[in-house]
Amino acid sequence: MQTIGETLQQFLEESGQGNTGSTASPSAVIRVFESYLNGWAHEDLNPFERQRFEKEYSETRRFCDIFDATRIKPHHLNAMVGHHAIRQGPSTKGFLKAVGPVMRKLASWLSEKRFWTAEDQRWYRELVGDDPGRDLPDCEQFAHVLFQYVERHPANAPEDLPDGDYHNDQFTIIKIEPGQLHLDALQEGEAPIVLRLPKSVTAKAKPGWSVLFELARVRGTWRILGVGNVYP
C-alpha cells in the first residue's frame, strides 16, 4: 500500500516541487497540507478506521503514514484553502498565492490517479468554487491593517460589562460602507454589530470574510479590544 505521505511526494515529483527552500513552492504548500491531515483528518474516520488509527498511531507514525490517498477527501482541501493555510502556514504573500493553484492541481491529479471518483471532484468544485484560495493574500493583508489599527488605537472596557456588551468570537462581515464594517449578530433577533473604522481599513475588507474579534460596547459604541485571523 502506498501511504498518503508517499502519494503526496509522488504528486510533487510528477507536477514539480519548485524551489524547495521557498515558502511559495508547491512543496511548501504540501508540507502544510500534510501537517493538517496529520493533525485533523482522523476526526472524520469511521469506527473501523478509527480503531486502526488508534492501534497504529505513534509519534513517528501518523495519519499520513497509516492510510492511503483514498482518505484524502474534498473537504480536507477546502479546509486548507479556507483556514488552515492562514492558521498554520507561513504568512507570506507568495505562500498564500500558491495555496489555491497547488490544491487545484492536487485535486485534478487525485482524480487522474483514481484516488477520487467523479463525485469527489464534483464535491470539491462545489466546496471551493472556481478560484480556490483567491482571497487568502487579501485576507492576510486586511488582518495586518486591522492589527496595526488596534495597536495604534488601544481600547479599554470595564470588567463588569453586561454579557451582551462583550464578545470574543468569530464574526462574518455582512456589509461594508466607507468607514463602517457591519458584522453578523451572534444571536437571532439581535441587530448587526457596526464597527467604525478608517476608510483606509474598510477598503481592504470584503463581505463574506470572517474575522476573530474581541469587542466591547462602551457607551453605545462597539470598540475593538483585540483582533485575530481573517478567513475567506
Side-chain angles (χ1 to χ4, degrees), residues 11-41:
F11 163 71
L12 288 173
E13 291 169 357
E14 293 185 9
S15 62
Q17 301 188 48
N19 178 0
T20 56
S22 168
T23 59
S25 67
S27 58
V29 174
I30 292 299
R31 279 197 302 272
V32 175
F33 180 58
E34 190 169 355
S35 77
Y36 164 75
L37 293 174
N38 280 328
W40 300 99

PDB file of all heavy atoms in Angstrom, residues 11-41:
ATOM      1  N   PHE A  11       3.097  13.119  -6.117  1.00  0.00           N
ATOM      2  CA  PHE A  11       2.465  14.280  -6.751  1.00  0.00           C
ATOM      3  C   PHE A  11       3.484  15.379  -6.999  1.00  0.00           C
ATOM      4  O   PHE A  11       3.537  15.963  -8.097  1.00  0.00           O
ATOM      5  CB  PHE A  11       1.329  14.801  -5.862  1.00  0.00           C
ATOM      6  CG  PHE A  11       0.865  16.190  -6.188  1.00  0.00           C
ATOM      7  CD1 PHE A  11       0.140  16.446  -7.349  1.00  0.00           C
ATOM      8  CD2 PHE A  11       1.171  17.260  -5.352  1.00  0.00           C
ATOM      9  CE1 PHE A  11      -0.278  17.741  -7.662  1.00  0.00           C
ATOM     10  CE2 PHE A  11       0.753  18.548  -5.652  1.00  0.00           C
ATOM     11  CZ  PHE A  11       0.033  18.791  -6.812  1.00  0.00           C
ATOM     12  N   LEU A  12       4.321  15.662  -6.016  1.00  0.00           N
ATOM     13  CA  LEU A  12       5.326  16.714  -6.173  1.00  0.00           C
ATOM     14  C   LEU A  12       6.349  16.342  -7.250  1.00  0.00           C
ATOM     15  O   LEU A  12       6.757  17.192  -8.039  1.00  0.00           O
ATOM     16  CB  LEU A  12       6.036  16.974  -4.841  1.00  0.00           C
ATOM     17  CG  LEU A  12       5.220  17.701  -3.767  1.00  0.00           C
ATOM     18  CD1 LEU A  12       5.973  17.730  -2.450  1.00  0.00           C
ATOM     19  CD2 LEU A  12       4.877  19.120  -4.214  1.00  0.00           C
ATOM     20  N   GLU A  13       6.759  15.102  -7.269  1.00  0.00           N
ATOM     21  CA  GLU A  13       7.743  14.666  -8.263  1.00  0.00           C
ATOM     22  C   GLU A  13       7.192  14.765  -9.680  1.00  0.00           C
ATOM     23  O   GLU A  13       7.918  15.118 -10.620  1.00  0.00           O
ATOM     24  CB  GLU A  13       8.184  13.231  -7.957  1.00  0.00           C
ATOM     25  CG  GLU A  13       9.025  13.112  -6.689  1.00  0.00           C
ATOM     26  CD  GLU A  13       9.243  11.678  -6.252  1.00  0.00           C
ATOM     27  OE1 GLU A  13       8.694  10.762  -6.914  1.00  0.00           O
ATOM     28  OE2 GLU A  13       9.962  11.454  -5.260  1.00  0.00           O
ATOM     29  N   GLU A  14       5.913  14.476  -9.839  1.00  0.00           N
ATOM     30  CA  GLU A  14       5.314  14.499 -11.172  1.00  0.00           C
ATOM     31  C   GLU A  14       4.896  15.897 -11.617  1.00  0.00           C
ATOM     32  O   GLU A  14       4.911  16.200 -12.815  1.00  0.00           O
ATOM     33  CB  GLU A  14       4.101  13.562 -11.206  1.00  0.00           C
ATOM     34  CG  GLU A  14       4.459  12.099 -11.049  1.00  0.00           C
ATOM     35  CD  GLU A  14       3.262  11.176 -11.211  1.00  0.00           C
ATOM     36  OE1 GLU A  14       2.180  11.664 -11.623  1.00  0.00           O
ATOM     37  OE2 GLU A  14       3.393   9.975 -10.927  1.00  0.00           O
ATOM     38  N   SER A  15       4.518  16.734 -10.649  1.00  0.00           N
ATOM     39  CA  SER A  15       3.997  18.059 -11.021  1.00  0.00           C
ATOM     40  C   SER A  15       5.028  19.171 -10.836  1.00  0.00           C
ATOM     41  O   SER A  15       4.821  20.282 -11.307  1.00  0.00           O
ATOM     42  CB  SER A  15       2.741  18.385 -10.194  1.00  0.00           C
ATOM     43  OG  SER A  15       3.055  18.442  -8.817  1.00  0.00           O
ATOM     44  N   GLY A  16       6.114  18.880 -10.133  1.00  0.00           N
ATOM     45  CA  GLY A  16       7.151  19.889  -9.922  1.00  0.00           C
ATOM     46  C   GLY A  16       7.134  20.438  -8.512  1.00  0.00           C
ATOM     47  O   GLY A  16       6.114  20.944  -8.047  1.00  0.00           O
ATOM     48  N   GLN A  17       8.260  20.319  -7.818  1.00  0.00           N
ATOM     49  CA  GLN A  17       8.337  20.758  -6.429  1.00  0.00           C
ATOM     50  C   GLN A  17       8.641  22.243  -6.302  1.00  0.00           C
ATOM     51  O   GLN A  17       8.438  22.833  -5.248  1.00  0.00           O
ATOM     52  CB  GLN A  17       9.409  19.958  -5.678  1.00  0.00           C
ATOM     53  CG  GLN A  17       9.159  18.469  -5.664  1.00  0.00           C
ATOM     54  CD  GLN A  17      10.136  17.733  -4.756  1.00  0.00           C
ATOM     55  OE1 GLN A  17      10.365  18.120  -3.624  1.00  0.00           O
ATOM     56  NE2 GLN A  17      10.709  16.661  -5.275  1.00  0.00           N
ATOM     57  N   GLY A  18       9.187  22.839  -7.370  1.00  0.00           N
ATOM     58  CA  GLY A  18       9.596  24.223  -7.272  1.00  0.00           C
ATOM     59  C   GLY A  18      10.856  24.344  -6.432  1.00  0.00           C
ATOM     60  O   GLY A  18      11.549  23.354  -6.126  1.00  0.00           O
ATOM     61  N   ASN A  19      11.174  25.544  -6.042  1.00  0.00           N
ATOM     62  CA  ASN A  19      12.317  25.804  -5.159  1.00  0.00           C
ATOM     63  C   ASN A  19      11.941  25.365  -3.751  1.00  0.00           C
ATOM     64  O   ASN A  19      11.163  26.031  -3.076  1.00  0.00           O
ATOM     65  CB  ASN A  19      12.666  27.292  -5.197  1.00  0.00           C
ATOM     66  CG  ASN A  19      13.815  27.639  -4.259  1.00  0.00           C
ATOM     67  OD1 ASN A  19      14.367  26.763  -3.576  1.00  0.00           O
ATOM     68  ND2 ASN A  19      14.173  28.906  -4.221  1.00  0.00           N
ATOM     69  N   THR A  20      12.459  24.234  -3.308  1.00  0.00           N
ATOM     70  CA  THR A  20      12.030  23.662  -2.033  1.00  0.00           C
ATOM     71  C   THR A  20      12.363  24.549  -0.845  1.00  0.00           C
ATOM     72  O   THR A  20      11.810  24.377   0.233  1.00  0.00           O
ATOM     73  CB  THR A  20      12.659  22.270  -1.818  1.00  0.00           C
ATOM     74  OG1 THR A  20      14.092  22.380  -1.903  1.00  0.00           O
ATOM     75  CG2 THR A  20      12.163  21.296  -2.881  1.00  0.00           C
ATOM     76  N   GLY A  21      13.246  25.506  -1.038  1.00  0.00           N
ATOM     77  CA  GLY A  21      13.575  26.424   0.055  1.00  0.00           C
ATOM     78  C   GLY A  21      12.660  27.635   0.119  1.00  0.00           C
ATOM     79  O   GLY A  21      12.751  28.431   1.048  1.00  0.00           O
ATOM     80  N   SER A  22      11.762  27.766  -0.855  1.00  0.00           N
ATOM     81  CA  SER A  22      10.873  28.926  -0.918  1.00  0.00           C
ATOM     82  C   SER A  22       9.526  28.608  -0.287  1.00  0.00           C
ATOM     83  O   SER A  22       8.976  27.521  -0.492  1.00  0.00           O
ATOM     84  CB  SER A  22      10.667  29.339  -2.382  1.00  0.00           C
ATOM     85  OG  SER A  22       9.610  30.272  -2.505  1.00  0.00           O
ATOM     86  N   THR A  23       8.972  29.562   0.446  1.00  0.00           N
ATOM     87  CA  THR A  23       7.638  29.360   1.029  1.00  0.00           C
ATOM     88  C   THR A  23       6.551  29.408  -0.032  1.00  0.00           C
ATOM     89  O   THR A  23       5.412  29.032   0.229  1.00  0.00           O
ATOM     90  CB  THR A  23       7.330  30.423   2.094  1.00  0.00           C
ATOM     91  OG1 THR A  23       7.389  31.732   1.501  1.00  0.00           O
ATOM     92  CG2 THR A  23       8.326  30.340   3.252  1.00  0.00           C
ATOM     93  N   ALA A  24       6.903  29.867  -1.246  1.00  0.00           N
ATOM     94  CA  ALA A  24       5.916  29.944  -2.327  1.00  0.00           C
ATOM     95  C   ALA A  24       5.918  28.694  -3.207  1.00  0.00           C
ATOM     96  O   ALA A  24       5.195  28.639  -4.196  1.00  0.00           O
ATOM     97  CB  ALA A  24       6.185  31.177  -3.197  1.00  0.00           C
ATOM     98  N   SER A  25       6.699  27.691  -2.853  1.00  0.00           N
ATOM     99  CA  SER A  25       6.822  26.499  -3.691  1.00  0.00           C
ATOM    100  C   SER A  25       5.700  25.510  -3.420  1.00  0.00           C
ATOM    101  O   SER A  25       5.118  25.480  -2.337  1.00  0.00           O
ATOM    102  CB  SER A  25       8.166  25.817  -3.418  1.00  0.00           C
ATOM    103  OG  SER A  25       8.191  25.297  -2.096  1.00  0.00           O
ATOM    104  N   PRO A  26       5.376  24.644  -4.403  1.00  0.00           N
ATOM    105  CA  PRO A  26       4.409  23.579  -4.163  1.00  0.00           C
ATOM    106  C   PRO A  26       4.790  22.687  -2.984  1.00  0.00           C
ATOM    107  O   PRO A  26       3.917  22.253  -2.232  1.00  0.00           O
ATOM    108  CB  PRO A  26       4.414  22.806  -5.488  1.00  0.00           C
ATOM    109  CG  PRO A  26       4.793  23.822  -6.514  1.00  0.00           C
ATOM    110  CD  PRO A  26       5.800  24.700  -5.830  1.00  0.00           C
ATOM    111  N   SER A  27       6.066  22.425  -2.818  1.00  0.00           N
ATOM    112  CA  SER A  27       6.483  21.563  -1.707  1.00  0.00           C
ATOM    113  C   SER A  27       6.165  22.197  -0.365  1.00  0.00           C
ATOM    114  O   SER A  27       5.796  21.507   0.596  1.00  0.00           O
ATOM    115  CB  SER A  27       7.980  21.236  -1.801  1.00  0.00           C
ATOM    116  OG  SER A  27       8.765  22.398  -1.797  1.00  0.00           O
ATOM    117  N   ALA A  28       6.273  23.533  -0.258  1.00  0.00           N
ATOM    118  CA  ALA A  28       5.923  24.216   0.991  1.00  0.00           C
ATOM    119  C   ALA A  28       4.432  24.082   1.273  1.00  0.00           C
ATOM    120  O   ALA A  28       4.017  23.846   2.416  1.00  0.00           O
ATOM    121  CB  ALA A  28       6.320  25.691   0.914  1.00  0.00           C
ATOM    122  N   VAL A  29       3.608  24.220   0.229  1.00  0.00           N
ATOM    123  CA  VAL A  29       2.156  24.083   0.398  1.00  0.00           C
ATOM    124  C   VAL A  29       1.806  22.661   0.821  1.00  0.00           C
ATOM    125  O   VAL A  29       0.999  22.450   1.742  1.00  0.00           O
ATOM    126  CB  VAL A  29       1.430  24.461  -0.910  1.00  0.00           C
ATOM    127  CG1 VAL A  29      -0.074  24.184  -0.784  1.00  0.00           C
ATOM    128  CG2 VAL A  29       1.669  25.925  -1.256  1.00  0.00           C
ATOM    129  N   ILE A  30       2.410  21.679   0.188  1.00  0.00           N
ATOM    130  CA  ILE A  30       2.100  20.287   0.506  1.00  0.00           C
ATOM    131  C   ILE A  30       2.561  19.939   1.916  1.00  0.00           C
ATOM    132  O   ILE A  30       1.896  19.162   2.620  1.00  0.00           O
ATOM    133  CB  ILE A  30       2.729  19.341  -0.535  1.00  0.00           C
ATOM    134  CG1 ILE A  30       2.028  19.517  -1.886  1.00  0.00           C
ATOM    135  CG2 ILE A  30       2.654  17.886  -0.081  1.00  0.00           C
ATOM    136  CD1 ILE A  30       0.540  19.200  -1.872  1.00  0.00           C
ATOM    137  N   ARG A  31       3.670  20.495   2.384  1.00  0.00           N
ATOM    138  CA  ARG A  31       4.112  20.251   3.766  1.00  0.00           C
ATOM    139  C   ARG A  31       3.062  20.719   4.760  1.00  0.00           C
ATOM    140  O   ARG A  31       2.754  20.029   5.739  1.00  0.00           O
ATOM    141  CB  ARG A  31       5.444  20.959   4.043  1.00  0.00           C
ATOM    142  CG  ARG A  31       6.672  20.234   3.550  1.00  0.00           C
ATOM    143  CD  ARG A  31       7.933  20.753   4.191  1.00  0.00           C
ATOM    144  NE  ARG A  31       8.154  22.175   3.966  1.00  0.00           N
ATOM    145  CZ  ARG A  31       8.789  22.678   2.921  1.00  0.00           C
ATOM    146  NH1 ARG A  31       9.269  21.861   1.978  1.00  0.00           N
ATOM    147  NH2 ARG A  31       8.963  23.980   2.791  1.00  0.00           N
ATOM    148  N   VAL A  32       2.509  21.899   4.513  1.00  0.00           N
ATOM    149  CA  VAL A  32       1.490  22.425   5.421  1.00  0.00           C
ATOM    150  C   VAL A  32       0.208  21.604   5.314  1.00  0.00           C
ATOM    151  O   VAL A  32      -0.449  21.317   6.324  1.00  0.00           O
ATOM    152  CB  VAL A  32       1.225  23.918   5.127  1.00  0.00           C
ATOM    153  CG1 VAL A  32       0.080  24.451   5.988  1.00  0.00           C
ATOM    154  CG2 VAL A  32       2.484  24.741   5.379  1.00  0.00           C
ATOM    155  N   PHE A  33      -0.140  21.193   4.108  1.00  0.00           N
ATOM    156  CA  PHE A  33      -1.329  20.361   3.923  1.00  0.00           C
ATOM    157  C   PHE A  33      -1.159  19.014   4.635  1.00  0.00           C
ATOM    158  O   PHE A  33      -2.089  18.524   5.296  1.00  0.00           O
ATOM    159  CB  PHE A  33      -1.589  20.140   2.438  1.00  0.00           C
ATOM    160  CG  PHE A  33      -2.803  19.295   2.148  1.00  0.00           C
ATOM    161  CD1 PHE A  33      -4.058  19.665   2.609  1.00  0.00           C
ATOM    162  CD2 PHE A  33      -2.688  18.124   1.412  1.00  0.00           C
ATOM    163  CE1 PHE A  33      -5.185  18.886   2.351  1.00  0.00           C
ATOM    164  CE2 PHE A  33      -3.802  17.343   1.136  1.00  0.00           C
ATOM    165  CZ  PHE A  33      -5.049  17.719   1.607  1.00  0.00           C
ATOM    166  N   GLU A  34       0.008  18.428   4.538  1.00  0.00           N
ATOM    167  CA  GLU A  34       0.262  17.153   5.218  1.00  0.00           C
ATOM    168  C   GLU A  34       0.174  17.315   6.730  1.00  0.00           C
ATOM    169  O   GLU A  34      -0.349  16.443   7.430  1.00  0.00           O
ATOM    170  CB  GLU A  34       1.627  16.601   4.813  1.00  0.00           C
ATOM    171  CG  GLU A  34       1.862  15.177   5.277  1.00  0.00           C
ATOM    172  CD  GLU A  34       3.097  14.545   4.655  1.00  0.00           C
ATOM    173  OE1 GLU A  34       3.731  15.181   3.785  1.00  0.00           O
ATOM    174  OE2 GLU A  34       3.439  13.407   5.040  1.00  0.00           O
ATOM    175  N   SER A  35       0.646  18.451   7.239  1.00  0.00           N
ATOM    176  CA  SER A  35       0.539  18.690   8.685  1.00  0.00           C
ATOM    177  C   SER A  35      -0.922  18.814   9.104  1.00  0.00           C
ATOM    178  O   SER A  35      -1.303  18.381  10.199  1.00  0.00           O
ATOM    179  CB  SER A  35       1.313  19.950   9.087  1.00  0.00           C
ATOM    180  OG  SER A  35       0.620  21.138   8.742  1.00  0.00           O
ATOM    181  N   TYR A  36      -1.755  19.399   8.218  1.00  0.00           N
ATOM    182  CA  TYR A  36      -3.190  19.470   8.504  1.00  0.00           C
ATOM    183  C   TYR A  36      -3.787  18.070   8.573  1.00  0.00           C
ATOM    184  O   TYR A  36      -4.538  17.744   9.501  1.00  0.00           O
ATOM    185  CB  TYR A  36      -3.909  20.294   7.434  1.00  0.00           C
ATOM    186  CG  TYR A  36      -5.402  20.079   7.445  1.00  0.00           C
ATOM    187  CD1 TYR A  36      -6.201  20.654   8.429  1.00  0.00           C
ATOM    188  CD2 TYR A  36      -6.012  19.244   6.504  1.00  0.00           C
ATOM    189  CE1 TYR A  36      -7.566  20.417   8.468  1.00  0.00           C
ATOM    190  CE2 TYR A  36      -7.371  19.010   6.536  1.00  0.00           C
ATOM    191  CZ  TYR A  36      -8.150  19.602   7.530  1.00  0.00           C
ATOM    192  OH  TYR A  36      -9.493  19.354   7.578  1.00  0.00           O
ATOM    193  N   LEU A  37      -3.486  17.240   7.598  1.00  0.00           N
ATOM    194  CA  LEU A  37      -4.018  15.878   7.591  1.00  0.00           C
ATOM    195  C   LEU A  37      -3.579  15.115   8.839  1.00  0.00           C
ATOM    196  O   LEU A  37      -4.389  14.420   9.472  1.00  0.00           O
ATOM    197  CB  LEU A  37      -3.556  15.142   6.337  1.00  0.00           C
ATOM    198  CG  LEU A  37      -4.100  15.651   4.993  1.00  0.00           C
ATOM    199  CD1 LEU A  37      -3.430  14.918   3.831  1.00  0.00           C
ATOM    200  CD2 LEU A  37      -5.611  15.513   4.913  1.00  0.00           C
ATOM    201  N   ASN A  38      -2.320  15.239   9.197  1.00  0.00           N
ATOM    202  CA  ASN A  38      -1.819  14.533  10.376  1.00  0.00           C
ATOM    203  C   ASN A  38      -2.478  15.007  11.664  1.00  0.00           C
ATOM    204  O   ASN A  38      -2.669  14.230  12.600  1.00  0.00           O
ATOM    205  CB  ASN A  38      -0.301  14.697  10.488  1.00  0.00           C
ATOM    206  CG  ASN A  38       0.459  13.760   9.570  1.00  0.00           C
ATOM    207  OD1 ASN A  38       0.012  12.645   9.300  1.00  0.00           O
ATOM    208  ND2 ASN A  38       1.595  14.196   9.078  1.00  0.00           N
ATOM    209  N   GLY A  39      -2.857  16.287  11.691  1.00  0.00           N
ATOM    210  CA  GLY A  39      -3.415  16.831  12.917  1.00  0.00           C
ATOM    211  C   GLY A  39      -4.920  16.719  13.061  1.00  0.00           C
ATOM    212  O   GLY A  39      -5.449  16.656  14.175  1.00  0.00           O
ATOM    213  N   TRP A  40      -5.632  16.674  11.899  1.00  0.00           N
ATOM    214  CA  TRP A  40      -7.089  16.818  11.968  1.00  0.00           C
ATOM    215  C   TRP A  40      -7.896  15.794  11.197  1.00  0.00           C
ATOM    216  O   TRP A  40      -9.077  15.575  11.514  1.00  0.00           O
ATOM    217  CB  TRP A  40      -7.483  18.219  11.472  1.00  0.00           C
ATOM    218  CG  TRP A  40      -6.883  19.305  12.271  1.00  0.00           C
ATOM    219  CD1 TRP A  40      -5.763  20.041  11.958  1.00  0.00           C
ATOM    220  CD2 TRP A  40      -7.310  19.778  13.551  1.00  0.00           C
ATOM    221  NE1 TRP A  40      -5.477  20.943  12.944  1.00  0.00           N
ATOM    222  CE2 TRP A  40      -6.413  20.805  13.951  1.00  0.00           C
ATOM    223  CE3 TRP A  40      -8.366  19.441  14.401  1.00  0.00           C
ATOM    224  CZ2 TRP A  40      -6.546  21.485  15.145  1.00  0.00           C
ATOM    225  CZ3 TRP A  40      -8.498  20.119  15.601  1.00  0.00           C
ATOM    226  CH2 TRP A  40      -7.593  21.131  15.946  1.00  0.00           C
ATOM    227  N   ALA A  41      -7.312  15.151  10.187  1.00  0.00           N
ATOM    228  CA  ALA A  41      -8.117  14.307   9.311  1.00  0.00           C
ATOM    229  C   ALA A  41      -8.660  13.056  10.007  1.00  0.00           C
ATOM    230  O   ALA A  41      -9.632  12.462   9.534  1.00  0.00           O
ATOM    231  CB  ALA A  41      -7.302  13.899   8.077  1.00  0.00           C
TER     232      ALA A  41
END
